[in-house]
Amino acid sequence: VKVGASIQQVADAANVSITTVSHALNGKGRLSPGTRERVLKVAAELQYRPHVSARNLAGGKAGVLGLAVSQAPGLSFSLTDFAYFMQLMGAATEAALERGYALVLVPVGTDGEDPFDRVSIDGAIIVDPVSRDPLVRHLRTRGLPLVTTGRVLDEDDDGYWVDNNNAAGTRAVLRHLERGGATRVALVMGPPVTSYTRDSLAVYEEWCEERGIEPRVVIPQGDLSEGAGFDAADELLASDEPPDAIYTTLDRLGTGVLRAARSRGVSVPGDLMVASYTDSDVARWSNPSLTALALHPDEVGRRAVEMLTTLVDGAEPPEPRVHVASRVIVRGSTRRHAGARVDAALAD
Amino acid sequence: VKVGASIQQVADAANVSITTVSHALNGKGRLSPGTRERVLKVAAELQYRPHVSARNLAGGKAGVLGLAVSQAPGLSFSLTDFAYFMQLMGAATEAALERGYALVLVPVGTDGEDPFDRVSIDGAIIVDPVSRDPLVRHLRTRGLPLVTTGRVLDEDDDGYWVDNNNAAGTRAVLRHLERGGATRVALVMGPPVTSYTRDSLAVYEEWCEERGIEPRVVIPQGDLSEGAGFDAADELLASDEPPDAIYTTLDRLGTGVLRAARSRGVSVPGDLMVASYTDSDVARWSNPSLTALALHPDEVGRRAVEMLTTLVDGAEPPEPRVHVASRVIVRGSTRRHAGARVDAALAD
DNA sequence: ATGAAAGCGCTAACAT
DNA sequence: ATGTTAGCGCTTTCAT
């Protein structure tokens, strides 16, 4: 449904030709500053909105960008946080629309087929690519512009990406735990198939090494549910030298850890500090509330689209690799001093 | 990126005018069966794919459909199952693309603003509308074609919708539990703000009434995590007359129930049968595996798009209200006889 | 039964 | 610095 005025109406109202309007709007040709300004003003008054289809037809583009969520072979989605995805995709959709593109979700089946040859798109975004990702392969083979959110592992040239700065985030969390007095921090994480899990692991191991601590990592098999977090923590807490802090790469795992502590009578944060990756309502509403690393999925989505549309337009993005900062949200699960206030440490 | 041939090339190859091709393809004008057939064959050979933008430009449409996930005021998404959503939206996207539309996710913010006036769309789908849904209001006010997946509550005329036949599904589950020997079935459910939760509740109450059983319903406050299911079941199992079966409206609640049973030494399915709504990997991989009602989100998404595009084209959908069947997947949590095989009862 | 031609709204050569 | 014009691929009247 077309709402605003057409380019012709703007041209008439401004007493210029449609070419001039087009140029003024797109900053293309050379026109006098006065004219440009006047046209812009008239366009705004008339609520001019370019007709996307017309623009795409003339420009020879499909006007469609694809977004696919990677699936580890044989497993379910590598991305498991619904809220994270909705924010990422929502922001990406909006950014795309602003640039005259429609962002569509490309369904990825379990078969090995190329899901992208069913739709005609100008470029694609792949969320959380996994190790040796088949989607990435397909796109690269086809030569379609591609941006990933999360880095592509196992590649020399990792192409264009936007990623949460998880290394910095993990460091910030560990620092926070250390400041709280933790000396034996354990890590409970999903399978290290994506860049963010790899980063967590790498930073954690490095951190342990620096302090001469023996790393303790638990990777639950099967699904990453609250129960998996419970079991992992239960195992850790039953050991001879139980950890005094646990960091999980998923909020659900974190709440599972909280439950395990409670069931064993281990007080949080007194005896055990707990923190997790990805902030959410679950973390906010748990008891005690869970300290978490707040990511910015909307920023990630927006930047990815900016990068992709730049590529589609045949230009080179100013920054081919972008790190988005995250921050530690301190809550009850790590606040050891009654007086400690809710301070949020910037993680990058 | 345009791939296939243009309508002109098809016309040339078939020795007809582009008008004829257009008519043949869209079943519009009157042409001889022979010609139509020939054109269609040539088009297929040339892999002709209509250029969506051109079609939309000529047809005066935006070529974009919006899809929004409803959010209960003040709460998070009413829809909480990531896999369900991905399947629904994936299938919807595909169905839309086949009809020349791009389906975009309309981000719904927490503010009260109309999220639809930022994008220009031809129609919209709202997933799991909640009671007194603001999104539905906005769309209705604006007169945009609207289809909901899940029914709109609190309305006389509930418009166009596609819904899982949850009443039938719930009945099938209850029947299954009864056949297994359950006489005191409890229900653990999320807040009854959507049609599916309301249906579960209504059918359950009716079922209890028919048997002269006192209904036992627990609605956890806060988030619907595994822990919430645990707590709810723990409360039920601690009562004087504990239930011998529990039905939950969410698989995560169901696995929480399983854990509660285990922690109390209640054997499943021996002492307690457990079944849940929405099948998933979580249900499949739990221990014991969880009997669940398998829905068909892809079917729901597809039908919703069919209905919506019909409306956008100014026609009346043959069926303005569609129920999609679901079926009971019997697993360990309710299989009482060693010999019982994995039989799936059709729920509609 | 089939075709010619006029747009749909916009971009970009190519004038002026 | 600004305007003219020819498409982009398709739908749709209106002729034939």
Side-chain angles (χ1 to χ4, degrees):
Chain A
V1 179
K2 176 72 183 147
V3 276
S6 75
I7 198 173
Q8 183 66 65
Q9 297 173 337
V10 175
D12 293 348
N15 268 313
V16 291
S17 73
I18 62 170
T19 305
T20 303
V21 175
S22 179
H23 284 168
L25 259 31
N26 303 319
K28 287 288 174 77
R30 312 144 291 272
L31 30 166
S32 75
T35 311
R36 154 161 287 137
E37 204 174 324
R38 181 162 43 92
V39 171
L40 256 30
K41 195 165 131 283
V42 171
E45 278 169 4
L46 264 46
Q47 307 230 55
Y48 171 74
R49 313 272 289 153
H51 190 295
V52 178
S53 295
R55 192 198 282 255
N56 286 140
L57 177 57
K61 302 182 208 167
V64 178
L65 305 179
L67 182 146
V69 178
S70 201
Q71 248 176 317
L75 286 165
S76 21
F77 296 100
S78 62
L79 176 69
T80 47
D81 187 328
F82 188 69
Y84 179 91
F85 174 78
M86 292 300 279
Q87 285 178 61
L88 166 16
M89 185 164 182
T93 299
E94 217 159 349
L97 252 15
E98 276 167 13
R99 288 167 179 69
Y101 292 89
L103 183 79
V104 305
L105 208 215
V106 178
V108 14
T110 44
D111 47 11
E113 276 180 40
D114 179 353
F116 295 98
D117 65 17
R118 320 194 49 166
V119 297
S120 75
I121 55 180
D122 299 314
I125 293 174
I126 292 183
V127 177
D128 274 3
V130 296
S131 183
R132 295 174 50 83
D133 200 300
L135 296 176
V136 172
R137 307 257 163 127
H138 283 134
L139 258 1
R140 291 233 206 278
T141 308
R142 230 186 229 242
L144 266 184
L146 166 67
V147 173
T148 58
T149 69
R151 309 187 310 282
V152 174
L153 302 171
D154 323 316
E155 300 236 356
D156 306 344
D157 166 24
D158 45 7
Y160 302 93
W161 52 258
V162 180
D163 201 2
N164 295 294
N165 193 340
N166 188 39
T170 300
R171 248 176 251 119
V173 170
L174 293 175
R175 217 180 297 133
H176 169 68
L177 294 175
E178 190 168 41
R179 267 203 301 263
T183 57
R184 301 183 307 281
V185 181
L187 175 65
V188 176
M189 62 183 286
V193 291
T194 56
S195 65
Y196 84 87
T197 38
R198 292 265 178 106
D199 287 347
S200 293
L201 184 56
V203 166
Y204 170 74
E205 286 176 335
E206 181 189 313
W207 188 83
C208 286
E209 171 128 19
E210 284 168 13
R211 286 157 186 74
I213 304 174
E214 183 69 12
R216 304 187 59 180
V217 180
V218 180
I219 301 179
Q221 300 304 309
D223 72 305
L224 299 174
S225 65
E226 207 174 0
F230 182 100
D231 293 339
D234 205 53
E235 177 193 328
L236 286 167
L237 294 174
S239 67
D240 291 342
E241 203 175 21
D244 54 8
I246 296 180
Y247 178 53
T248 69
T249 57
L250 213 55
D251 53 358
R252 269 177 294 145
L253 292 176
T255 57
V257 170
L258 291 179
R259 290 193 163 260
R262 195 184 318 153
S263 85
R264 287 190 161 266
V266 172
S267 100
V268 174
D271 301 331
L272 180 75
M273 298 172 82
V274 184
S276 83
Y277 194 64
T278 66
D279 187 33
S280 71
D281 285 344
V282 173
R284 211 167 294 131
W285 293 344
S286 66
N287 181 21
S289 57
L290 188 60
T291 290
L293 194 58
L295 308 180
H296 296 293
D298 47 348
E299 173 82 5
V300 172
R302 200 158 28 233
R303 299 295 293 266
V305 166
E306 280 170 17
M307 215 139 123
L308 184 56
T309 51
T310 305
L311 287 169
V312 170
D313 292 345
E316 192 61 22
E319 302 174 77
R321 294 147 231 261
V322 172
H323 264 138
V324 174
S326 42
R327 51 200 213 93
V328 181
I329 307 292
V330 177
R331 296 214 181 81
S333 66
T334 62
R335 203 181 296 127
R336 280 190 159 161
H337 314 293
R341 66 194 187 294
V342 185
D343 64 320
L346 200 60
D348 187 349
Chain B
V1 180
K2 176 71 182 149
V3 275
S6 75
I7 199 173
Q8 182 66 65
Q9 297 174 339
V10 174
D12 292 350
N15 269 314
V16 291
S17 72
I18 61 169
T19 306
T20 303
V21 177
S22 178
H23 284 168
L25 259 30
N26 304 319
K28 286 288 175 74
R30 315 143 288 274
L31 18 166
S32 75
T35 310
R36 155 162 285 136
E37 204 174 322
R38 183 162 42 91
V39 170
L40 255 29
K41 195 165 133 281
V42 171
E45 278 168 6
L46 264 45
Q47 307 230 57
Y48 171 75
R49 312 273 287 153
H51 190 296
V52 178
S53 294
R55 191 199 284 257
N56 286 140
L57 177 56
K61 303 181 205 166
V64 178
L65 305 178
L67 181 146
V69 179
S70 201
Q71 248 176 317
L75 285 166
S76 20
F77 296 101
S78 62
L79 176 69
T80 47
D81 188 329
F82 188 69
Y84 178 92
F85 174 78
M86 292 300 278
Q87 286 178 61
L88 166 16
M89 187 165 180
T93 299
E94 218 159 348
L97 251 16
E98 275 167 15
R99 289 168 179 69
Y101 292 89
L103 184 79
V104 306
L105 209 217
V106 178
V108 12
T110 44
D111 47 11
E113 276 181 39
D114 179 353
F116 294 98
D117 64 17
R118 321 194 48 168
V119 297
S120 76
I121 54 179
D122 299 314
I125 292 174
I126 292 183
V127 177
D128 274 1
V130 296
S131 182
R132 296 174 49 81
D133 200 300
L135 296 176
V136 172
R137 306 259 163 125
H138 283 135
L139 258 1
R140 291 235 206 276
T141 309
R142 228 184 231 242
L144 266 185
L146 166 68
V147 173
T148 58
T149 69
R151 308 188 310 282
V152 175
L153 303 171
D154 322 317
E155 300 236 357
D156 305 344
D157 166 24
D158 45 6
Y160 302 93
W161 52 258
V162 180
D163 201 2
N164 295 294
N165 193 340
N166 188 41
T170 301
R171 245 176 253 120
V173 170
L174 293 174
R175 217 179 298 132
H176 169 68
L177 294 174
E178 189 168 41
R179 266 202 303 264
T183 57
R184 300 182 309 279
V185 181
L187 175 65
V188 176
M189 62 182 286
V193 291
T194 56
S195 65
Y196 84 86
T197 38
R198 291 266 177 104
D199 287 345
S200 293
L201 184 57
V203 166
Y204 170 75
E205 286 176 336
E206 181 190 314
W207 187 83
C208 286
E209 170 126 20
E210 284 168 14
R211 284 155 187 76
I213 304 174
E214 183 70 10
R216 304 187 59 181
V217 180
V218 180
I219 302 179
Q221 299 305 308
D223 72 304
L224 299 174
S225 65
E226 208 175 357
F230 182 99
D231 293 340
D234 205 54
E235 177 192 328
L236 285 166
L237 294 174
S239 67
D240 292 343
E241 202 174 21
D244 55 8
I246 296 180
Y247 178 53
T248 69
T249 57
L250 213 54
D251 53 357
R252 269 177 293 146
L253 293 175
T255 57
V257 170
L258 290 179
R259 290 192 163 262
R262 195 183 320 153
S263 85
R264 287 191 161 266
V266 172
S267 99
V268 175
D271 302 332
L272 180 74
M273 299 171 81
V274 184
S276 83
Y277 192 64
T278 66
D279 187 33
S280 71
D281 285 344
V282 173
R284 210 166 296 131
W285 294 346
S286 67
N287 181 20
S289 58
L290 187 60
T291 290
L293 195 59
L295 308 180
H296 296 293
D298 46 349
E299 174 83 6
V300 173
R302 200 159 26 235
R303 300 294 294 264
V305 166
E306 279 169 18
M307 214 144 140
L308 184 57
T309 52
T310 305
L311 287 169
V312 170
D313 292 346
E316 192 62 23
E319 301 174 77
R321 293 144 232 260
V322 172
H323 264 138
V324 173
S326 41
R327 51 199 214 92
V328 180
I329 307 291
V330 176
R331 296 213 181 82
S333 66
T334 62
R335 204 180 299 129
R336 279 191 161 160
H337 314 293
R341 67 194 186 294
V342 186
D343 65 321
L346 200 61
D348 186 350

